């Protein structure tokens, strides 16, 4: 069910007192420090146990065993985790504002399903086997579904409800197609089984370079939409009175979410709950102001993603538990708690 923000919260979002702004700024700084700690942990901790001295040696002498583990593996996956986490968090925050549904996530508009279906198609019908090939097919699939949702949702007459319904319908159809292809093609199933759970383990410099331009564009666009999305959360009539262009804001929001989620999914596979949990939790202490929610989500989402990746690398040593599995295990109970808390608050 779509839930709008209470009027008193909307009013507060437009003119927070200086003291609260200062608290938010300090909180954002603390969040950045937490992110730095998690980044260091991601580099220092892994499935292969290394001492701090060995990690330090690997950082500054990239040749040899330590360098291969630290530089070629851990730094690349940490950088990708930073980028993908920020992208998923921002995409979730934008979609929650666009649909006026605080429990929305990038999967709501079918973007993950589009990327997954495109990769299955690439493997089965075009013989694509490399991650660099997956990236482009996954991104094109996400973009195509984003466009379909926009047109099926009514294009210029699109509303949050229509967009959500169109995304749900397309997701169901695409996941049916995905399962049908994978069941009938053993080769596709074997190649897809690791990608579909979501992982940072295949991170390379090449993958990062391919998705980085899209992520930069998506981040800049999402941050620029904070003010018009704030106006839209007050309702269409109020947003028009404030001078917001509703159609343009919706198109750009769809574009930002598609670029961010599509690029992250292309590089890592579909990772669930990051785009749902972090913006929702952030909203509980920043209020509904997107000017604060978006920066917080961009910082704290990588904390969750990298933290889950470190946990997955350590709990099953010397094997690894894929980060998509860890976020799903953590996210399920949290999602149930959030839904139950909202239902209790509405009674």
């Amino acid at each position: 069910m779509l839930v709008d923000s209470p009027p008193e919260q909307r009013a507060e979002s437009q003119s927070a007192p200086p003291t609260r702004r200062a608290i938010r700024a300090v909180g954002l700084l603390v969040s950045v420090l937490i992110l730095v700690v998690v980044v260091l942990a991601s580099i220092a901790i892994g499935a292969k146990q290394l001492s701090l001295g060995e990690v330090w040696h690997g950082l500054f002498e990239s040749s040899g065993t330590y360098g291969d583990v630290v530089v070629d593996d851990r730094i690349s996956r940490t950088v990708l985790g930073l980028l993908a986490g920020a992208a998923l968090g921002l995409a979730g925050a934008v979609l929650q504002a666009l649909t006026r549904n605080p429990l929305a996530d990038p999967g709501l508009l079918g973007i993950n399903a589009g990327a997954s279906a495109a990769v299955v198609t690439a493997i089965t019908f075009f013989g694509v086997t490399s991650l660099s090939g997956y990236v482009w097919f996954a991104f094109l699939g996400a973009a195509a579904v984003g466009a379909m949702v926009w047109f099926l949702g009514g294009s210029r007459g699109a509303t949050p409800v229509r967009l959500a319904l169109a995304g749900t319908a397309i997701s169901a159809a695409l996941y049916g197609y995905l399962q049908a292809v994978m069941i009938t093609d053993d080769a596709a199933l074997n190649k897809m089984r690791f990608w579909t759970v979501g992982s940072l383990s295949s991170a390379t410099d090449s993958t990062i370079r391919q998705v980085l331009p899209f992520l930069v564009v998506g981040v800049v666009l999402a941050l620029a939409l904070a003010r018009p999305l704030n106006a839209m959360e007050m309702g269409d009539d109020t947003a028009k009175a404030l001078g917001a262009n509703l159609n343009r804001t919706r198109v750009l929001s769809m574009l930002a979410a598609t670029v961010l989620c599509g690029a992250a999914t292309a590089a890592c596979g579909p990772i669930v709950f990051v785009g749902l949990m972090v913006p929702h939790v952030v909203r509980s202490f920043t209020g509904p102001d997107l000017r604060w929610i978006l920066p917080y989500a961009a910082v704290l989402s990588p904390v969750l993603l990298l933290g889950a990746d470190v946990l997955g690398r350590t709990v099953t040593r010397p094997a690894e538990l894929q980060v998509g599995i860890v976020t799903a295990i953590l996210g399920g109970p949290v999602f149930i708690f959030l839904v139950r808390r909202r239902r209790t608050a509405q009674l």
Side-chain angles (χ1 to χ4, degrees):
M1 184 179 75
L2 299 181
V3 182
D4 207 350
S5 302
E8 61 272 14
Q9 286 188 341
R10 298 180 201 150
E12 185 275 337
S13 70
Q14 301 303 312
S15 58
T19 302
R20 183 157 190 179
R21 287 199 296 269
I23 293 174
R24 288 168 172 170
V26 171
L28 187 59
L29 177 60
V30 172
S31 299
V32 171
L33 294 177
I34 294 173
L35 177 59
V36 171
V37 172
V38 174
V39 166
L40 295 177
S42 179
I43 296 173
I45 302 172
K48 181 178 178 62
Q49 292 185 331
L50 297 176
S51 67
L52 292 178
E54 290 169 339
V55 172
W56 184 264
H57 179 76
L59 283 171
F60 294 98
E61 294 186 22
S62 59
S63 60
T65 303
Y66 301 148
D68 292 342
V69 171
V70 175
V71 177
D72 296 338
D73 181 15
R74 294 186 186 174
I75 290 183
S76 294
R77 74 189 294 166
T78 299
V79 172
L80 184 59
L82 277 169
L83 296 174
L88 292 172
L90 286 171
V94 168
L95 289 178
Q96 287 174 12
L98 176 65
T99 61
R100 298 175 193 159
N101 182 358
L103 297 179
D105 75 331
L108 181 68
L109 297 186
I111 296 173
N112 286 345
S116 299
V119 172
V120 170
T121 301
I123 291 172
T124 305
F125 299 107
F126 297 99
V128 177
T129 58
S130 66
L131 184 63
S132 60
Y134 295 167
V135 166
W136 292 105
F137 273 92
F139 183 78
L140 289 174
V145 169
M148 288 175 62
V149 169
W150 173 250
F151 286 111
L152 291 178
S155 188
R156 290 184 176 274
T159 64
V161 175
R162 289 180 178 178
L163 292 175
L165 291 175
T168 301
I170 291 175
S171 293
L174 289 177
Y175 277 123
Y177 163 77
L178 187 153
Q179 294 300 321
V181 172
M182 292 178 66
I183 288 173
T184 57
D185 190 330
D186 292 338
L189 176 61
N190 290 332
K191 293 173 184 176
M192 281 290 296
R193 59 195 179 106
F194 291 111
W195 187 86
T196 52
V197 298
S199 174
L200 299 177
S201 60
S202 299
T204 64
D205 292 342
S206 175
T207 304
I208 294 171
R209 285 196 297 269
Q210 289 181 66
V211 300
L212 184 59
F214 298 106
L215 293 175
V216 170
V217 171
V219 168
V220 172
L221 182 56
L223 294 175
L225 288 169
R227 287 183 180 275
L229 283 174
N230 272 345
M232 285 183 60
E233 284 203 322
M234 298 182 186
D236 290 356
D237 292 338
T238 303
K240 289 179 181 178
L242 292 173
N245 187 319
L246 300 185
N247 287 326
R248 182 177 64 188
T249 301
R250 286 175 179 144
V251 169
L252 293 178
S253 297
M254 286 284 296
L255 178 62
T258 299
V259 170
L260 289 168
C261 188
T265 303
C268 310
I271 297 176
V272 298
F273 286 117
V274 174
L276 164 66
M277 285 192 294
V278 175
H280 188 82
V281 172
V282 163
R283 188 178 292 104
S284 67
F285 58 84
T286 64
D289 192 342
L290 271 296
R291 293 173 298 178
W292 289 102
I293 292 175
L294 293 175
Y296 267 96
V299 173
L300 291 178
S301 294
V303 171
L304 173 60
L305 187 60
L306 289 176
D309 187 47
V310 171
L311 183 61
R313 282 186 269 169
T314 54
V315 295
T316 58
R317 279 177 176 166
E320 292 188 16
L321 192 62
Q322 305 301 321
V323 67
I325 297 174
V326 179
T327 58
I329 293 172
L330 296 175
V334 172
F335 180 74
I336 293 172
F337 169 76
L338 293 175
V339 171
R340 288 183 61 86
R341 189 178 69 171
R342 292 196 66 82
R343 288 185 60 186
T344 303
Q346 292 171 2
L347 294 177

